[in-house]
């Protein structure tokens, strides 16, 4: 579908015709938030959690939520239904709206609401079988990474760094401790114990973060949320990424160093299977 229908401020319109004014604060200041929801077989996966995070993001930056939960679900459903693909990625963007250029919040502005969907692009069979490579880099982003902000320059530069190295992600470290990758959360396994950085202002709490907690509990895999040093990441038996598009993905090399045995490990396999089951239910 080359020109899918998208939702913009009250109506469905072909993507090619969807336009916003140049004074939209999303364009001028990156003043907005977004959400990415995977859809499998035309059903949103973890929609409650994604909408709860959308609402948290809006509250965090002081935008009044323009819709009730039921309205959001109905708007997303309209965009989703109009698309031909069964498995999709729904993108929701909300900005503070259009106003005369001035940094502080405008007195009156109506949030801009944009919803589009694309066919989902999941990791290739090769990436699944062999795992992927990443590079490490210093986390140079701001200190409110828990907000799913559309101001993504730090993440864009980290993703570009990975692309230039021909790898999947940049894994970021702040002051020697693991934070997250350009657009995914990062996990390690050592001696059968899974660990991820704590949910704080230094990372985005992925919807898969909570899901991995649930899957680990159900599979009796011990899981710790704690600060993780760079040395621990390189010495881990397994390293994994999680995000809506990557689901759970094994990392087998960082920089020039092999991780664990250099192939997707047993905890990854277990969690990947559990994830596929969760999707199917
Ligand atoms: N990215 N951390 C960052 C910085 C992210 O951008 C993402 C998701 C995650 C994982 O969150 P979740 O499990 O909810 O997908 C962690 C999405 C996919 C994106 O920006 O396209």
């Amino acid at each position: 579908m080359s020109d899918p229908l998208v939702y913009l401020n009250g109506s469905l319109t072909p993507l090619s015709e969807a336009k916003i004014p140049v004074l939209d604060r999303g364009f001028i200041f990156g003043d907005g938030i977004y959400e990415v929801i995977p859809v499998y077989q035309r059903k949103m996966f973890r929609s409650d959690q994604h909408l709860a995070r959308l609402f948290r993001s809006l509250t965090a930056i002081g935008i009044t939520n323009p819709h009730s939960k039921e309205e959001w679900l109905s708007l997303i459903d309209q965009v989703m239904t109009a698309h031909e693909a069964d498995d999709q990625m729904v993108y929701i963007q909300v900005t503070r709206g259009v106003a005369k250029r001035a940094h502080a919040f405008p007195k009156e502005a109506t949030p801009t609401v944009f919803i589009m969907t694309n066919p989902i692009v999941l990791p290739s069979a090769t990436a699944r079988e062999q795992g992927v490579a990443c590079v490490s880099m210093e986390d140079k982003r701001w200190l409110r990474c828990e907000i799913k902000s559309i101001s993504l320059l730090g993440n864009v530069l980290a993703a570009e760094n990975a692309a230039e190295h021909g790898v999947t992600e940049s894994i970021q470290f702040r002051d020697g401790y693991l934070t997250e990758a350009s657009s995914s959360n990062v996990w390690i396994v050592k001696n059968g114990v899974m660990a991820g950085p704590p949910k704080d202002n230094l990372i985005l709490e992925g919807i898969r973060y909570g899901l991995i907690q649930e899957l680990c509990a159900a599979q009796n895999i011990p899981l710790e949320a704690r600060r993780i040093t760079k040395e621990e990441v390189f010495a881990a038996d397994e390293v994994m990424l999680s995000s809506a598009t990557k689901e759970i993905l094994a990392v087998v090399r960082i920089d020039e160093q092999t991780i664990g045995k250099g192939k997707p490990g047993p905890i990854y396999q277990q969690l990947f299977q559990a994830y596929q089951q969760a999707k199917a239910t």
Side-chain angles (χ1 to χ4, degrees):
M1 192 181 269
S2 54
D3 199 13
L5 286 181
V6 299
Y7 172 86
L8 180 63
N9 295 334
S11 41
L12 285 179
T13 160
L15 178 60
S16 63
E17 289 167 27
K19 297 200 172 34
I20 55 164
V22 289
L23 283 182
D24 191 283
R25 289 177 62 97
F27 177 60
I28 299 289
F29 296 116
D31 184 3
I33 54 90
Y34 76 112
E35 192 53 51
V36 188
I37 312 178
V39 170
Y40 300 110
Q41 295 302 305
R42 299 198 170 270
K43 261 185 64 191
M44 277 181 271
F45 186 53
R46 302 233 135 194
S47 57
D48 284 355
Q49 291 87 340
H50 278 283
L51 286 181
R53 185 171 67 183
L54 177 74
F55 299 170
R56 284 203 302 277
S57 299
L58 288 169
T59 303
I61 70 163
I63 294 181
T64 306
N65 188 349
H67 297 297
S68 67
K69 186 176 171 190
E70 289 64 37
E71 286 167 351
W72 278 112
L73 287 170
S74 154
L75 294 174
I76 297 165
D77 192 60
Q78 290 173 43
V79 175
M80 202 167 79
T81 307
H83 202 282
E84 64 195 10
D86 289 337
D87 296 345
Q88 307 173 13
M89 293 300 296
V90 174
Y91 289 83
I92 303 170
Q93 309 250 150
V94 185
T95 76
R96 204 177 304 279
V98 180
K100 185 166 176 286
R101 192 187 189 287
H103 285 63
F105 298 175
K107 291 273 173 295
E108 274 176 37
T110 307
T112 298
V113 177
F114 175 59
I115 307 174
M116 70 169 172
T117 188
N118 290 317
I120 197 166
V121 180
L122 294 170
S124 66
T126 312
R128 284 267 162 250
E129 279 157 32
Q130 299 178 3
V132 298
C134 291
V135 282
S136 66
M137 71 180 278
E138 182 65 23
D139 193 336
K140 296 178 188 148
R141 301 172 303 158
W142 72 330
L143 294 172
R144 297 297 308 275
C145 297
E146 83 280 14
I147 303 172
K148 202 161 171 63
S149 159
I150 59 167
S151 307
L152 283 170
L153 193 50
N155 305 66
V156 166
L157 295 178
E160 178 57 21
N161 176 55
E164 283 168 11
H165 285 87
V167 299
T168 300
E169 275 279 40
S170 288
I171 296 183
Q172 302 175 99
F173 296 88
R174 199 186 282 274
D175 304 326
Y177 289 95
L178 173 65
T179 53
E180 61 185 339
S182 348
S183 60
S184 42
N185 290 120
V186 182
W187 307 87
I188 67 164
V189 178
K190 189 72 182 176
N191 300 327
V193 179
M194 177 109 168
K199 297 178 197 173
D200 59 16
N201 61 311
L202 301 182
I203 65 165
L204 180 78
E205 182 188 334
I207 299 310
R208 268 123 293 275
Y209 193 119
L211 180 56
I212 284 173
Q213 286 179 311
E214 287 173 30
L215 297 179
C216 282
Q219 306 272 322
N220 291 319
I221 300 168
L223 171 63
E224 297 171 346
R226 61 174 177 82
R227 305 251 281 161
I228 297 163
T229 65
K230 193 168 182 177
E231 292 70 31
E232 282 184 274
V233 174
F234 280 91
D237 299 330
E238 297 184 42
V239 174
M240 285 170 235
L241 305 172
S242 69
S243 81
T245 40
K246 295 183 186 67
E247 300 185 336
I248 303 177
L249 188 60
V251 176
V252 294
R253 186 163 60 81
I254 305 175
D255 301 337
E256 295 313 316
Q257 198 168 313
T258 300
I259 301 299
K261 295 197 166 70
K263 56 181 191 164
I267 304 271
Y268 160 75
Q269 306 285 6
Q270 207 178 332
L271 287 175
F272 176 71
Q273 292 309 330
Y275 193 99
Q276 300 311 309
Q277 274 164 19
K279 265 164 67 172
T281 51

